[in-house]
Amino acid sequence: MRLIINGESKHFEEALSVQSLIKELGIDSQVCAIARNSVVVKKEDWAHTQLQDNDRLECLQFMGGG
């Protein structure tokens, strides 16, 4: 499966949910928002949102500071 993540093409051997993709990429889910094909995916939907070949994902990680 091919996914476009933050503008970069990545290949995966198996189908993934949003939640499994976040885990595979090692992203802290507490400080992350995901948009799939320009639509924000709610965190409560991550586990059952299956990604499809050529989906475009934007992963935004939030940082604190001051």
Side-chain angles (χ1 to χ4, degrees), residues 33-66:
I34 299 290
R36 175 183 177 218
N37 301 322
S38 301
V39 177
V40 173
V41 180
K42 295 179 184 179
K43 279 192 180 183
E44 59 263 23
D45 296 333
W46 286 7
H48 61 267
T49 300
Q50 289 298 120
L51 299 172
Q52 303 295 318
D53 196 39
N54 293 313
D55 274 350
R56 292 186 167 274
L57 301 158
E58 293 297 323
C59 177
L60 305 171
Q61 295 185 55
F62 304 102
M63 292 187 249

Side-chain angles (χ1 to χ4, degrees), residues 1-4 9-16 36-37 50-57:
M1 172 171 52
R2 176 181 173 254
L3 299 173
I4 311 299
S9 180
K10 293 189 183 264
H11 294 273
F12 298 90
E13 293 297 319
E14 58 187 45
L16 299 168
R36 175 183 177 218
N37 301 322
Q50 289 298 120
L51 299 172
Q52 303 295 318
D53 196 39
N54 293 313
D55 274 350
R56 292 186 167 274
L57 301 158

Side-chain angles (χ1 to χ4, degrees), residues 18-30:
V18 172
Q19 185 171 331
S20 58
L21 175 68
I22 295 298
K23 185 176 179 181
E24 178 144 338
L25 295 177
I27 296 171
D28 182 356
S29 64
Q30 296 300 314

